[in-house]
Amino acid sequence: MKILVVGNGGREHVLCWKLKQSRHADKIYCAPGNAGIADVAECVAINADELDKLADFALVNGVDFTVVGPEAPLCAGLVDVFNQRGLKAFGPDSMSAQLEGSKDFAKQFMLRHRIPTAAAASFSSVAPAISYIKAEFDRGVKGIVVKADGLAAGKGVFVAENASSAIDFVESCFAGTFGHAGSKVLIEECLYGEEASILALVDGKTIVPLATSQDHKRAFDNDRGPNTGGMGAYSPAPVVSDKVMQQIKEEVLDRFLVGIKEDKLYFRGVLFVGVMVTENGPKVLEFNVRFGDPEVQAVMCRLESDLLDVMLKTVDGRLNEAELSWSDEPAVCVVMASGGYPGNYEKGYEISGLADAATNGAVVFHAGSAFKNGRIVNSGGRVLGVTARGGTIQQAIANAYRGVDAIHWQNCFCRRDIGFRALAREHN
Ligand code: AMP
Ligand code: GLY
């Protein structure tokens, strides 16, 4: 089969890497890909938002199956365009992608289908939002969460511990900091607990959770510094005990499935549920309609089944026939980033040690990397996801950092504490 993967991040690299292991994969294209993806796929110079060009490419080149990595092309309707043109694609259509594309749409869906989540109110203008914030802090809440409604590349959420910072954020949303995404805001109750990422395949009739994982969103050790796209991940996430997973299945995943049926939403792809495991059980922080990055690096390194087979069954509505098997070994992904990320950073520095990291047993997935004069240089904020398994979480962490320590470029940095919550649970 010929496969096209759309996107250019670490997520797309690990998907190409895993799909290539399938006996049915003859050829893998990635549009646009990156310097690391070029090792496992043929990179095609079409961007993820060029929907018609992508469909033309798939038709001309006889692509049998397309996997869409990022949320933006899903929200823009890539799967709708492909389906209209008779092409098979993994992912929800544009209406269902609103579960990620609009926080308000997602919240209404959760409330309508009794999926546990934070209480929230939505606002389309500044003054009532400010009155609401003041009233909440006056009644004694410790914090509230303000969310720009639309896609904001992970930057549209602010957890506020006082009214003035919440108001500043609301004002910046309505002043256009996030473009159209900020023309509506959601103000939520603040939840407390430990977060986990639940990925689940959905074919409209069946929902199958993948191995659990946990992200590290803050830039620096001990969860300090600004939020990022994710600085590292591990799988499984021990915070999701069997009991918590059972609750997630019954109260979130099963209700999600009923919800998309009742609402007549087309969804054949992956649902990513950001969960807060609170004292009162798991509650949904957000839905995303694509694989989490870097979570998927850790999760895919543990998948023993044929990913292509499972994805095809998802799109064909035969997910009930899929069998997933997992390695018992934990996996850890450490993200190496450009100095300054998530703020400004310099690009174009040569990356050394990639081959050494690989011989140390780690797999290095590329995100913001590019070729320059035949060498690989950093070209984005998050640059590499160095991923390894181990017999225990300690060993997996050690193996991933051994890979990290082999790699260098000017000003690179990473967190040194990926997996600390899993370690703490083991010691308790
Ligand atoms: P979201 O994009 O909605 O997942 O929000 C990004 C991050 O903000 C989450 O991963 C949480 O760390 C935090 N967050 C979002 N909603 C809440 C909430 N209701 N309570 C506490 N933290 C939240
Ligand atoms: N790692 C979080 C995300 O992919 O949104």
Short mmCIF file of all heavy atoms in Angstrom, two decimals, residues 39-83:
data_model
loop_
_atom_site.label_atom_id
_atom_site.label_comp_id
_atom_site.label_asym_id
_atom_site.label_seq_id
_atom_site.Cartn_x
_atom_site.Cartn_y
_atom_site.Cartn_z
N ASP A 39 14.36 10.05 6.61
CA ASP A 39 14.96 8.72 6.78
C ASP A 39 13.97 7.59 6.54
O ASP A 39 14.38 6.48 6.19
CB ASP A 39 15.40 8.54 8.25
CG ASP A 39 16.82 8.98 8.46
OD1 ASP A 39 17.52 9.22 7.46
OD2 ASP A 39 17.22 9.05 9.64
N VAL A 40 12.70 7.83 6.83
CA VAL A 40 11.72 6.74 6.78
C VAL A 40 10.62 6.95 5.74
O VAL A 40 9.80 6.06 5.52
CB VAL A 40 11.06 6.51 8.17
CG1 VAL A 40 12.02 5.79 9.10
CG2 VAL A 40 10.55 7.79 8.79
N ALA A 41 10.57 8.14 5.14
CA ALA A 41 9.50 8.42 4.18
C ALA A 41 10.04 9.35 3.10
O ALA A 41 11.06 10.01 3.30
CB ALA A 41 8.32 9.09 4.89
N GLU A 42 9.33 9.41 1.98
CA GLU A 42 9.70 10.40 0.96
C GLU A 42 8.97 11.70 1.28
O GLU A 42 7.73 11.73 1.31
CB GLU A 42 9.29 9.87 -0.43
CG GLU A 42 9.67 10.85 -1.53
CD GLU A 42 9.33 10.28 -2.92
OE1 GLU A 42 9.42 9.05 -3.13
OE2 GLU A 42 8.97 11.11 -3.78
N CYS A 43 9.73 12.75 1.55
CA CYS A 43 9.08 14.02 1.90
C CYS A 43 8.59 14.71 0.63
O CYS A 43 9.28 14.71 -0.40
CB CYS A 43 10.04 14.92 2.67
SG CYS A 43 10.46 14.21 4.28
N VAL A 44 7.40 15.29 0.72
CA VAL A 44 6.75 15.93 -0.42
C VAL A 44 6.53 17.39 -0.04
O VAL A 44 6.02 17.67 1.04
CB VAL A 44 5.38 15.26 -0.67
CG1 VAL A 44 4.67 15.93 -1.83
CG2 VAL A 44 5.51 13.77 -0.88
N ALA A 45 6.90 18.31 -0.93
CA ALA A 45 6.86 19.73 -0.57
C ALA A 45 5.45 20.32 -0.71
O ALA A 45 5.19 21.20 -1.54
CB ALA A 45 7.85 20.50 -1.43
N ILE A 46 4.53 19.80 0.08
CA ILE A 46 3.17 20.38 0.14
C ILE A 46 2.87 20.57 1.62
O ILE A 46 3.10 19.66 2.43
CB ILE A 46 2.11 19.41 -0.46
CG1 ILE A 46 2.48 18.99 -1.88
CG2 ILE A 46 0.73 20.06 -0.43
CD1 ILE A 46 1.53 17.95 -2.47
N ASN A 47 2.38 21.75 1.96
CA ASN A 47 2.09 22.02 3.37
C ASN A 47 0.77 21.39 3.80
O ASN A 47 -0.11 21.13 2.97
CB ASN A 47 2.07 23.53 3.64
CG ASN A 47 3.47 24.09 3.60
OD1 ASN A 47 4.43 23.41 3.99
ND2 ASN A 47 3.60 25.32 3.12
N ALA A 48 0.65 21.22 5.13
CA ALA A 48 -0.52 20.53 5.67
C ALA A 48 -1.82 21.29 5.41
O ALA A 48 -2.90 20.70 5.45
CB ALA A 48 -0.33 20.32 7.17
N ASP A 49 -1.74 22.60 5.14
CA ASP A 49 -2.98 23.35 4.92
C ASP A 49 -3.37 23.45 3.44
O ASP A 49 -4.37 24.07 3.09
CB ASP A 49 -2.87 24.76 5.54
CG ASP A 49 -1.74 25.58 4.94
OD1 ASP A 49 -1.00 25.05 4.06
OD2 ASP A 49 -1.58 26.75 5.34
N GLU A 50 -2.61 22.81 2.55
CA GLU A 50 -2.93 22.87 1.12
C GLU A 50 -3.78 21.66 0.75
O GLU A 50 -3.30 20.69 0.14
CB GLU A 50 -1.63 22.93 0.31
CG GLU A 50 -0.81 24.18 0.65
CD GLU A 50 0.47 24.27 -0.15
OE1 GLU A 50 1.39 23.48 0.08
OE2 GLU A 50 0.53 25.14 -1.04
N LEU A 51 -5.05 21.72 1.16
CA LEU A 51 -5.91 20.54 1.11
C LEU A 51 -6.07 20.00 -0.31
O LEU A 51 -5.96 18.79 -0.53
CB LEU A 51 -7.28 20.86 1.70
CG LEU A 51 -7.30 21.53 3.09
CD1 LEU A 51 -8.72 21.62 3.61
CD2 LEU A 51 -6.40 20.82 4.07
N ASP A 52 -6.36 20.88 -1.26
CA ASP A 52 -6.58 20.38 -2.62
C ASP A 52 -5.31 19.83 -3.24
O ASP A 52 -5.34 18.80 -3.92
CB ASP A 52 -7.18 21.49 -3.50
CG ASP A 52 -8.65 21.71 -3.12
OD1 ASP A 52 -9.37 20.70 -2.99
OD2 ASP A 52 -9.05 22.86 -2.93
N LYS A 53 -4.19 20.49 -2.95
CA LYS A 53 -2.91 19.97 -3.48
C LYS A 53 -2.62 18.60 -2.91
O LYS A 53 -2.10 17.72 -3.61
CB LYS A 53 -1.76 20.92 -3.11
CG LYS A 53 -1.58 22.08 -4.04
CD LYS A 53 -0.21 22.69 -3.76
CE LYS A 53 -0.05 23.98 -4.52
NZ LYS A 53 1.16 24.70 -4.11
N LEU A 54 -2.93 18.41 -1.64
CA LEU A 54 -2.69 17.10 -1.02
C LEU A 54 -3.56 16.04 -1.68
O LEU A 54 -3.10 14.93 -1.97
CB LEU A 54 -2.98 17.16 0.49
CG LEU A 54 -1.95 17.95 1.32
CD1 LEU A 54 -2.48 18.24 2.73
CD2 LEU A 54 -0.62 17.19 1.42
N ALA A 55 -4.83 16.39 -1.91
CA ALA A 55 -5.73 15.42 -2.55
C ALA A 55 -5.26 15.13 -3.98
O ALA A 55 -5.26 13.98 -4.41
CB ALA A 55 -7.17 15.95 -2.53
N ASP A 56 -4.84 16.17 -4.71
CA ASP A 56 -4.33 15.96 -6.08
C ASP A 56 -3.14 15.00 -6.02
O ASP A 56 -3.05 14.06 -6.82
CB ASP A 56 -3.85 17.28 -6.70
CG ASP A 56 -5.00 18.23 -7.00
OD1 ASP A 56 -6.15 17.75 -7.02
OD2 ASP A 56 -4.74 19.43 -7.19
N PHE A 57 -2.24 15.25 -5.07
CA PHE A 57 -1.04 14.39 -4.95
C PHE A 57 -1.45 12.95 -4.69
O PHE A 57 -0.92 12.01 -5.31
CB PHE A 57 -0.14 14.90 -3.81
CG PHE A 57 1.05 14.01 -3.58
CD1 PHE A 57 2.23 14.19 -4.29
CD2 PHE A 57 0.99 12.96 -2.66
CE1 PHE A 57 3.31 13.35 -4.11
CE2 PHE A 57 2.08 12.10 -2.47
CZ PHE A 57 3.24 12.30 -3.20
N ALA A 58 -2.41 12.77 -3.78
CA ALA A 58 -2.83 11.40 -3.42
C ALA A 58 -3.43 10.70 -4.64
O ALA A 58 -3.15 9.52 -4.89
CB ALA A 58 -3.83 11.45 -2.27
N LEU A 59 -4.22 11.44 -5.41
CA LEU A 59 -4.85 10.82 -6.59
C LEU A 59 -3.81 10.48 -7.65
O LEU A 59 -3.78 9.37 -8.17
CB LEU A 59 -5.93 11.74 -7.16
CG LEU A 59 -7.22 11.79 -6.33
CD1 LEU A 59 -8.13 12.92 -6.78
CD2 LEU A 59 -7.95 10.45 -6.41
N VAL A 60 -2.94 11.44 -7.95
CA VAL A 60 -1.95 11.23 -9.02
C VAL A 60 -0.99 10.10 -8.67
O VAL A 60 -0.58 9.32 -9.53
CB VAL A 60 -1.18 12.55 -9.28
CG1 VAL A 60 0.03 12.31 -10.18
CG2 VAL A 60 -2.11 13.59 -9.88
N ASN A 61 -0.65 9.99 -7.38
CA ASN A 61 0.36 9.00 -6.99
C ASN A 61 -0.23 7.69 -6.47
O ASN A 61 0.50 6.84 -5.96
CB ASN A 61 1.30 9.60 -5.94
CG ASN A 61 2.17 10.69 -6.56
OD1 ASN A 61 3.16 10.39 -7.21
ND2 ASN A 61 1.73 11.94 -6.41
N GLY A 62 -1.53 7.54 -6.59
CA GLY A 62 -2.15 6.28 -6.18
C GLY A 62 -2.04 5.98 -4.70
O GLY A 62 -1.85 4.82 -4.30
N VAL A 63 -2.13 7.03 -3.88
CA VAL A 63 -2.06 6.83 -2.42
C VAL A 63 -3.33 6.10 -1.97
O VAL A 63 -4.45 6.49 -2.31
CB VAL A 63 -1.92 8.19 -1.70
CG1 VAL A 63 -2.15 8.05 -0.20
CG2 VAL A 63 -0.54 8.79 -1.97
N ASP A 64 -3.15 5.02 -1.20
CA ASP A 64 -4.29 4.22 -0.75
C ASP A 64 -4.86 4.72 0.56
O ASP A 64 -6.03 4.48 0.88
CB ASP A 64 -3.84 2.76 -0.52
CG ASP A 64 -3.28 2.16 -1.79
OD1 ASP A 64 -4.07 1.92 -2.71
OD2 ASP A 64 -2.04 1.95 -1.86
N PHE A 65 -4.02 5.38 1.36
CA PHE A 65 -4.46 5.70 2.72
C PHE A 65 -3.68 6.91 3.22
O PHE A 65 -2.46 6.96 3.08
CB PHE A 65 -4.17 4.48 3.62
CG PHE A 65 -4.66 4.63 5.02
CD1 PHE A 65 -5.97 5.00 5.30
CD2 PHE A 65 -3.80 4.39 6.10
CE1 PHE A 65 -6.42 5.12 6.60
CE2 PHE A 65 -4.25 4.51 7.41
CZ PHE A 65 -5.57 4.87 7.65
N THR A 66 -4.41 7.87 3.81
CA THR A 66 -3.77 9.09 4.31
C THR A 66 -4.02 9.23 5.80
O THR A 66 -5.15 9.02 6.26
CB THR A 66 -4.32 10.31 3.54
OG1 THR A 66 -3.97 10.15 2.16
CG2 THR A 66 -3.74 11.62 4.06
N VAL A 67 -2.97 9.58 6.53
CA VAL A 67 -3.09 9.80 7.97
C VAL A 67 -2.79 11.26 8.24
O VAL A 67 -1.73 11.76 7.86
CB VAL A 67 -2.08 8.90 8.74
CG1 VAL A 67 -2.17 9.19 10.24
CG2 VAL A 67 -2.34 7.43 8.45
N VAL A 68 -3.74 11.95 8.87
CA VAL A 68 -3.59 13.38 9.12
C VAL A 68 -3.07 13.58 10.54
O VAL A 68 -3.72 13.17 11.50
CB VAL A 68 -4.93 14.11 8.95
CG1 VAL A 68 -4.71 15.62 8.94
CG2 VAL A 68 -5.64 13.66 7.69
N GLY A 69 -1.90 14.19 10.68
CA GLY A 69 -1.30 14.38 12.01
C GLY A 69 -1.89 15.53 12.80
O GLY A 69 -2.51 15.32 13.84
N PRO A 70 -1.77 16.77 12.35
CA PRO A 70 -2.14 17.94 13.16
C PRO A 70 -3.63 18.30 13.09
O PRO A 70 -4.35 17.87 12.18
CB PRO A 70 -1.32 19.08 12.56
CG PRO A 70 -0.67 18.56 11.33
CD PRO A 70 -1.09 17.16 11.09
N GLU A 71 -4.04 19.12 14.04
CA GLU A 71 -5.45 19.50 14.15
C GLU A 71 -5.88 20.51 13.09
O GLU A 71 -7.04 20.48 12.64
CB GLU A 71 -5.78 20.05 15.55
CG GLU A 71 -5.02 21.31 15.99
CD GLU A 71 -3.64 21.04 16.57
OE1 GLU A 71 -3.11 19.93 16.34
OE2 GLU A 71 -3.09 21.94 17.23
N ALA A 72 -4.98 21.41 12.68
CA ALA A 72 -5.43 22.50 11.80
C ALA A 72 -6.03 21.97 10.48
O ALA A 72 -7.13 22.38 10.10
CB ALA A 72 -4.29 23.50 11.55
N PRO A 73 -5.35 21.06 9.78
CA PRO A 73 -5.98 20.56 8.54
C PRO A 73 -7.26 19.77 8.79
O PRO A 73 -8.14 19.74 7.92
CB PRO A 73 -4.90 19.69 7.90
CG PRO A 73 -3.86 19.46 8.92
CD PRO A 73 -3.96 20.56 9.93
N LEU A 74 -7.37 19.12 9.96
CA LEU A 74 -8.62 18.41 10.26
C LEU A 74 -9.75 19.42 10.42
O LEU A 74 -10.84 19.24 9.88
CB LEU A 74 -8.45 17.57 11.55
CG LEU A 74 -7.51 16.37 11.42
CD1 LEU A 74 -7.17 15.80 12.78
CD2 LEU A 74 -8.13 15.30 10.53
N CYS A 75 -9.47 20.50 11.17
CA CYS A 75 -10.50 21.53 11.37
C CYS A 75 -10.83 22.21 10.04
O CYS A 75 -11.97 22.61 9.80
CB CYS A 75 -10.03 22.57 12.39
SG CYS A 75 -9.94 21.91 14.07
N ALA A 76 -9.82 22.34 9.18
CA ALA A 76 -10.05 23.00 7.88
C ALA A 76 -10.78 22.09 6.89
O ALA A 76 -11.17 22.54 5.82
CB ALA A 76 -8.71 23.46 7.29
N GLY A 77 -10.92 20.80 7.22
CA GLY A 77 -11.74 19.94 6.36
C GLY A 77 -10.96 19.01 5.44
O GLY A 77 -11.47 18.60 4.40
N LEU A 78 -9.75 18.63 5.83
CA LEU A 78 -8.98 17.73 4.96
C LEU A 78 -9.71 16.41 4.74
O LEU A 78 -9.80 15.93 3.61
CB LEU A 78 -7.59 17.48 5.56
CG LEU A 78 -6.62 16.77 4.60
CD1 LEU A 78 -5.19 17.22 4.86
CD2 LEU A 78 -6.69 15.26 4.71
N VAL A 79 -10.27 15.85 5.80
CA VAL A 79 -10.94 14.55 5.64
C VAL A 79 -12.21 14.71 4.78
O VAL A 79 -12.52 13.83 3.96
CB VAL A 79 -11.24 13.93 7.02
CG1 VAL A 79 -12.12 12.70 6.90
CG2 VAL A 79 -9.92 13.58 7.72
N ASP A 80 -12.90 15.84 4.90
CA ASP A 80 -14.08 16.08 4.05
C ASP A 80 -13.66 16.10 2.57
O ASP A 80 -14.29 15.45 1.73
CB ASP A 80 -14.74 17.43 4.38
CG ASP A 80 -14.89 17.68 5.87
OD1 ASP A 80 -13.88 17.56 6.60
OD2 ASP A 80 -15.99 17.99 6.33
N VAL A 81 -12.59 16.85 2.28
CA VAL A 81 -12.12 16.96 0.89
C VAL A 81 -11.71 15.59 0.37
O VAL A 81 -12.08 15.18 -0.74
CB VAL A 81 -10.93 17.95 0.80
CG1 VAL A 81 -10.27 17.89 -0.57
CG2 VAL A 81 -11.38 19.37 1.12
N PHE A 82 -10.95 14.85 1.18
CA PHE A 82 -10.49 13.52 0.73
C PHE A 82 -11.68 12.58 0.51
O PHE A 82 -11.75 11.90 -0.50
CB PHE A 82 -9.48 12.93 1.74
CG PHE A 82 -8.06 13.34 1.46
CD1 PHE A 82 -7.70 14.66 1.31
CD2 PHE A 82 -7.05 12.38 1.33
CE1 PHE A 82 -6.40 15.05 1.04
CE2 PHE A 82 -5.74 12.74 1.05
CZ PHE A 82 -5.41 14.07 0.90
N ASN A 83 -12.61 12.57 1.46
CA ASN A 83 -13.77 11.68 1.30
C ASN A 83 -14.57 12.03 0.05
O ASN A 83 -14.99 11.15 -0.69
CB ASN A 83 -14.66 11.72 2.54
CG ASN A 83 -14.06 10.93 3.71
OD1 ASN A 83 -13.08 10.21 3.54
ND2 ASN A 83 -14.64 11.08 4.88
#
